[in-house]
């Protein structure tokens, strides 16, 4: 069995070994910190040198500042020459106007066909008189025309709006 050393025998070498191992551990820790700091410093230096390597921006001006610019090919010319792009623009206008006309004709057809059908399905309306005239005659013979005029006015207004929008589109593309 091992015995503990007497106070004068082996206590000093053990303390010396413990102090030495503590100093070695501290030195290792300090060396690791120093290595980490050096790595951080070299990384920062590398980033700084990379930033410094980028060329500085310079403003380049032409001595011919009043030189004429190349005119862009206007869309109106595309339309006039009937190129593919001009066809696309015109097709969009025609399609928009066609949708509007189809909508107005559908509404008109529903009104023209729907009123006689309504008067046929609701026989009580035959008994109603407006200014001594039966309601179906008054509506179909006179009151429907102002509605057609209002519908035509709205159609023309919307068609002109579509054309203005098309003109703005063509002007924006210049």
């Amino acid at each position: 069995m091992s015995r503990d050393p007497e106070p004068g025998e082996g206590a000093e070498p053990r303390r010396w070994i413990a102090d030495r191992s503590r100093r070695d551990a501290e030195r290792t820790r300090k060396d690791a910190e120093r290595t980490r700091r050096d790595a951080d410093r070299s990384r920062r230096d590398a980033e700084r040198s990379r930033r410094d390597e980028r060329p500085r921006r310079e403003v380049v001006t032409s001595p011919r500042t009043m030189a004429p610019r190349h005119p862009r090919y206007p869309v109106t010319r595309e339309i006039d020459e009937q190129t593919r792009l001009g066809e696309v623009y015109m097709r969009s206008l025609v399609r928009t106007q066609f949708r509007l006309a189809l909508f107005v004709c559908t509404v008109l057809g529903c009104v023209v066909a729907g009123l006689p059908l309504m008067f046929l399905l609701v026989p009580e309306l035959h008994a109603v008189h407006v200014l001594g005239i039966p309601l179906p005659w008054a509506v179909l013979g006179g009151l429907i025309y102002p509605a057609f005029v209002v519908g035509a006015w709205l159609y023309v207004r919307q068609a002109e709006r579509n054309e203005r929008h098309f003109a703005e589109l063509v002007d924006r593309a210049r």
Side-chain angles (χ1 to χ4, degrees), residues 76-94:
T76 53
R77 190 170 168 190
E78 296 273 355
I79 293 170
D80 291 341
E81 293 179 0
Q82 297 179 353
T83 61
R84 305 254 318 187
L85 180 61
E87 287 177 16
V88 169
Y89 276 106
M90 287 308 297
R91 197 176 316 124
S92 72
L93 175 64
V94 169

Side-chain angles (χ1 to χ4, degrees), residues 30-46:
K30 285 182 181 179
D31 289 344
E33 283 181 23
R34 188 177 306 117
T35 304
R36 187 174 37 82
R37 275 194 312 255
D38 291 344
D40 288 345
R41 186 178 304 125
S42 64
R43 184 174 37 84
R44 280 192 306 259
D45 291 344

Side-chain angles (χ1 to χ4, degrees), residues 145-157:
Y145 293 110
F148 286 168
V149 169
V150 169
W153 177 74
L154 290 172
Y155 170 75
V156 169
R157 189 170 159 221

